[in-house]
Amino acid sequence: MTTTPGIWEPLEPALSVRQVLTLERVLAGEPEVVAGASHLDRPVRWVHVAEAADVGVMLSGGEMVLTTGVLLAGDEEKQAEYVRSLHRAEAAAVVLGLGRAFPAAPDVMRRAAERCGLPMVVLHRPFPFAELTEEVQSRLVRRKFAAVSLSEAVRTELTALITAGAPLQRLLDEVARHSACPVVVTNLAHRVLGTAGERPAVDDVLRDWERIARQAGGTEGDGWIRAELGGRGERWGRIVLCGYRGDTATGRLLADRAAEALVLHRMLGGGAACSWEEQSAQSLLTDLVSGVVPARQLLPRARAAGLPVNRRTFVPLVVRDGDTTRLDRLLRLLGLPGLVAELADGATAVLLSLPRDQDADALAAHFAARLRTESGRARTVVAAADPRVVWDDVPAGLREAQHVADAVADSVAALDLPPVVRLRDVHLRGLIRLLRDDPHVQSFAERELDGLLRETDEDLLSVLRTYLATGRNKSRTAQLHHVSRPALYRRLESIQVRLGVDLDDFEQAASVHIALLAHDAQQQ
């Protein structure tokens, strides 16, 4: 008994000529392929019984035509024209029942079928055509019903996700589950905006994405099925099912339902298609910074996202309180290839990819200068790591730039730093940021500040932080905390008693300062 596939399983391909010939009812007629044996994988859309010589005018393509040949016997020209007519109508195959008009396959028909590449099958035993028609038609109807059911299930599921406010990635994951193959969303320039599916399979698709995408752009062979994204007469992207194993018609239904959902998702979100590019860049750069996924495994995604990666110099940058749209627009204006993505805590990562013969430091400085002009903030600071020429070193560079940006944040010395800040510019604060997760540093901070941390006196901690940051300037500290000098002296005395230190002693004050920097770094 044939069952309808589950909605999470790929549908079986539509019946091919080869599969029809293996059906139990057909085997009873002792079928023999006498021509077109290399074309038995043609899909059978319908089964049609026809005797007329001009049968082709009644067909629309994909039919398996059954005949006894009673109207063709004795007329070789009619026999040849019958086959040619089927070929012109793009029939799937012709099945001739022997015995009534022909004791064996007519040579004229067989040769014509071979020339046309039309599978020709003869049945050596008497066989009721009605049984074959009933069997094949019922199977085809069941498959068609299953495809429509799957299509509606996908539409319902995706609509529910959109209504619930699900992100783009969640929709793509569902499409990948339904289609059981990698799913890729691109803009019209083949730049990948999103992917879903088993990671190894997706990486295989992305490894040489631009060539593969352009090569598959005009056909839907090998399971590559596309649907355009757009509306109101304007296309802005496409979704591609890569290597779909089901029949093409079902794949098109899935792709169309997915495209409808993605367009609706964009409309309801109120964003432009470029927002998907920002999401793609954010996902990639976040994975690079986290180090959870090895950089080499992320290389296909970077290449498919449009980032040049061959023989390039990579410049990792982090901008505090940067606007991703402005930064991305600035990159395009300056003609600098790169990716922009918002990270945590108001930081925005920028990864430049420059030709190796260009001055990376000079271009980074030019970018920072233009950013100050564009943003209207004369004190905008861009944190940077030293340029990398090996892709595997990029994650460490991004983390270093992030450490530098964190070290500059809320620093009273930030105003004196250059526009492009590197690790060497943040001195002790930068070192502490890099070492903040070291257990020895954490233990040192806890031990040095125990007297204040035990009672979590934030007011005294704040006074201590300002006092040390201003170079132990009591007048400036009192001014910043809006207290009188005597009141400040009392607080400083309380701090020294609780910590058991003399803040007038440079070495003891330096030790407390380092501990406080480590404590603050651990809280961020």
XYZ file of all heavy atoms in Angstrom, residues 288 294-299 314 388-397 399:
156
model
N 32.654 34.678 14.029
C 34.108 34.869 13.996
C 34.625 35.334 15.352
O 35.628 34.827 15.856
C 34.481 35.885 12.920
C 34.547 35.395 11.478
C 34.672 36.559 10.517
C 35.716 34.426 11.288
N 35.319 27.262 13.910
C 36.654 27.571 13.386
C 36.568 28.484 12.169
O 35.671 28.364 11.331
C 37.214 26.189 13.002
C 36.470 25.222 13.877
C 35.094 25.804 14.025
N 37.515 29.410 12.088
C 37.493 30.396 11.000
C 37.477 29.740 9.630
O 36.796 30.210 8.711
C 38.707 31.319 11.134
N 38.201 28.648 9.477
C 38.270 27.996 8.160
C 36.899 27.496 7.727
O 36.585 27.503 6.533
C 39.276 26.840 8.216
C 39.566 26.213 6.858
C 40.876 25.478 6.883
N 41.981 26.360 7.178
C 42.608 27.115 6.281
N 42.195 27.081 5.031
N 43.601 27.882 6.613
N 36.073 27.069 8.672
C 34.733 26.610 8.323
C 33.817 27.773 7.927
O 32.804 27.563 7.260
C 34.122 25.844 9.491
C 34.807 24.517 9.798
C 34.114 23.749 10.906
O 32.939 23.964 11.193
N 34.842 22.849 11.548
N 34.176 28.991 8.355
C 33.366 30.155 8.020
C 33.792 30.794 6.703
O 33.125 31.711 6.208
C 33.465 31.199 9.138
C 32.899 30.762 10.493
C 33.220 31.802 11.554
C 31.402 30.534 10.415
N 34.892 30.335 6.137
C 35.402 30.926 4.904
C 34.393 30.846 3.754
O 34.211 31.835 3.030
C 36.719 30.255 4.522
C 37.521 30.913 3.390
C 37.850 32.354 3.739
C 38.800 30.121 3.123
N 43.324 41.718 5.874
C 42.098 41.929 6.652
C 42.388 42.896 7.799
O 43.349 42.704 8.551
C 41.572 40.605 7.199
C 41.292 39.587 6.128
C 42.194 38.559 5.882
C 40.147 39.668 5.361
C 41.941 37.623 4.899
C 39.884 38.744 4.368
C 40.789 37.718 4.129
N 45.732 41.590 9.383
C 45.976 40.152 9.263
C 46.026 39.772 7.781
O 45.215 40.260 6.998
C 44.846 39.353 9.912
C 45.051 38.905 11.349
C 45.267 39.992 12.332
N 45.349 39.444 13.688
C 45.641 40.134 14.764
N 45.887 41.420 14.654
N 45.699 39.567 15.955
N 46.952 38.901 7.429
C 47.019 38.439 6.041
C 46.583 36.982 5.919
O 46.514 36.446 4.821
C 48.434 38.611 5.460
C 48.804 40.079 5.371
C 49.463 37.841 6.290
N 46.278 36.368 7.052
C 45.805 34.974 7.063
C 44.398 34.962 7.642
O 44.159 35.527 8.721
C 46.734 34.068 7.909
C 46.188 32.642 7.946
C 48.148 34.090 7.340
N 43.472 34.331 6.928
C 42.070 34.317 7.360
C 41.914 33.721 8.749
O 41.092 34.196 9.553
C 41.226 33.542 6.352
C 39.805 33.344 6.771
C 39.234 32.204 7.262
C 38.760 34.329 6.764
N 37.904 32.412 7.557
C 37.597 33.707 7.256
C 38.703 35.669 6.384
C 36.390 34.388 7.371
C 37.498 36.342 6.510
C 36.361 35.701 6.999
N 42.671 32.695 9.086
C 42.543 32.043 10.389
C 42.878 32.992 11.545
O 42.510 32.726 12.691
C 43.452 30.816 10.459
C 42.924 29.665 9.617
O 41.769 29.755 9.163
O 43.670 28.689 9.394
N 43.603 34.091 11.265
C 43.973 35.043 12.315
C 42.926 36.134 12.514
O 43.052 36.960 13.428
C 45.315 35.704 11.973
C 46.466 34.713 11.977
O 46.320 33.665 12.639
O 47.490 34.971 11.311
N 41.905 36.169 11.659
C 40.894 37.225 11.731
C 40.113 37.207 13.053
O 39.901 38.269 13.655
C 39.937 37.154 10.526
C 38.730 38.069 10.715
C 40.680 37.533 9.252
N 39.654 36.035 13.561
C 38.907 36.048 14.832
C 39.688 36.690 15.977
O 39.137 37.494 16.730
C 38.633 34.561 15.094
C 38.613 33.945 13.740
C 39.669 34.677 12.967
N 40.982 36.346 16.092
C 41.798 36.943 17.153
C 41.906 38.448 16.961
O 41.900 39.218 17.929
C 43.180 36.303 17.175
N 41.996 38.884 15.697
C 42.064 40.314 15.422
C 40.791 41.037 15.818
O 40.837 42.134 16.390
N 38.646 40.090 18.104
C 38.575 40.106 19.575
C 39.527 41.159 20.150
O 39.198 41.834 21.132
C 38.881 38.716 20.130
C 37.763 37.700 19.896
C 37.969 36.443 20.711
N 39.097 35.659 20.220
C 38.998 34.716 19.287
N 37.824 34.460 18.722
N 40.057 34.043 18.905
